[in-house]
Amino acid sequence: MTRAALVLAVAGIAVATISWSAPPPPSQKEGLAAFETVKAVLQNPRCQNCHIPGDAPLQFDAGLTHAQGVLRGSDGFGSAGLKCSTCHGAVNPPASYGARVPPGAPGWRLPPPEHRMVFIGLTSGEICRGLKDTTANGGKDLAALTKHVDSDALVLWGWSPGVGRDAVPVPHAEFVAKFKQWVAAGAPCPGQ
C-alpha cells in the first residue's frame, strides 16, 4: 500500500483500485484498410520515382525517365562520374531559383540495386509482401521500416519537395499512424 493510500485508509476513505489495460490491437480488417493509405503514399510520384524496377530514376509527376542519362549505380548514389549529389544538394534550392530545378535532401539516392523496393504498377499485396521481405528491403524488420517512414530525411522530403512539385497528399503524421496501425494489426497483406 502506498503512503497516500495508507493516509486515506486511516482517514476512513475507501481506496479504489483502478486497473487499466491496453486497448486491443487493430483487427486484420483495420490493418488492411490502413495499408491502403500506405500503398497510396508509396505509389505517389514522390516515392515511386526512385523505387523503380530498372536503373533510370523517374522525375516529375508524370514519371518521365530522368534526363541526363542518370542511372542508379552500384550503390544507389548514381553512376561513376554522375553521382546524384552532382545535381541534388542536401536541401531544396530557394524558391527564387524557380520550378524544375533539382530538389535536395540529405543523402539523395535510389535504393541500391539489390534492394530496389519497387512500388510502380504493383498490387497492394505485392507491395505489402515486398515491404516485409527482409531479403528485398535491406534487412529491415517492421520496427526499422516504421522508423524509416517516420524519420528518414529523404522520406520526409516527399512532404516538402520544393517549388513546382506536389507534396504527398496524405499528411505525414497520418501516413505514419496508418503504417503503425498496419504493423500493430500484424502487418497483414491483401490476398493472404
Side-chain angles (χ1 to χ4, degrees):
M1 184 177 286
T2 66
R3 184 168 190 238
L6 180 60
V7 169
L8 291 173
V10 169
I13 301 171
V15 178
T17 302
I18 300 173
S19 64
W20 179 84
S21 61
S27 68
Q28 181 176 2
K29 183 178 179 180
E30 291 167 322
L32 290 170
F35 189 76
E36 288 308 307
T37 299
V38 171
K39 175 191 180 252
V41 170
L42 298 180
Q43 289 190 317
N44 179 276
R46 299 294 76 78
C47 298
Q48 74 175 14
N49 279 354
C50 293
H51 288 272
I52 53 173
D55 286 317
L58 306 177
Q59 57 186 159
F60 311 122
D61 287 347
L64 304 173
T65 301
H66 198 300
Q68 296 86 29
V70 171
L71 295 174
R72 181 188 309 272
S74 62
D75 57 3
F77 286 88
S79 57
L82 189 55
K83 295 293 185 188
C84 301
S85 60
T86 302
C87 299
H88 296 277
V91 297
N92 285 326
S96 62
Y97 282 37
R100 303 222 182 238
V101 296
W108 196 272
R109 67 195 179 282
L110 280 78
E114 64 275 11
H115 306 295
R116 295 171 191 262
M117 293 304 304
V118 176
F119 303 143
I120 297 171
L122 300 181
T123 66
S124 296
E126 291 167 330
I127 291 174
C128 181
R129 288 185 291 280
L131 281 176
K132 296 188 326 179
D133 181 355
T134 57
T135 64
N137 75 14
K140 291 179 177 70
D141 62 10
L142 293 173
L145 286 172
T146 302
K147 182 178 180 183
H148 177 70
V149 301
D150 188 29
S151 61
D152 183 276
L154 194 49
V155 171
L156 293 170
W157 170 86
W159 284 267
S160 183
V163 175
R165 290 170 195 84
D166 291 332
V168 174
V170 175
H172 183 255
E174 180 183 341
F175 168 59
V176 172
K178 294 292 186 180
F179 197 93
K180 289 178 178 179
Q181 184 180 19
W182 169 66
V183 169
C189 291
Q192 285 184 327

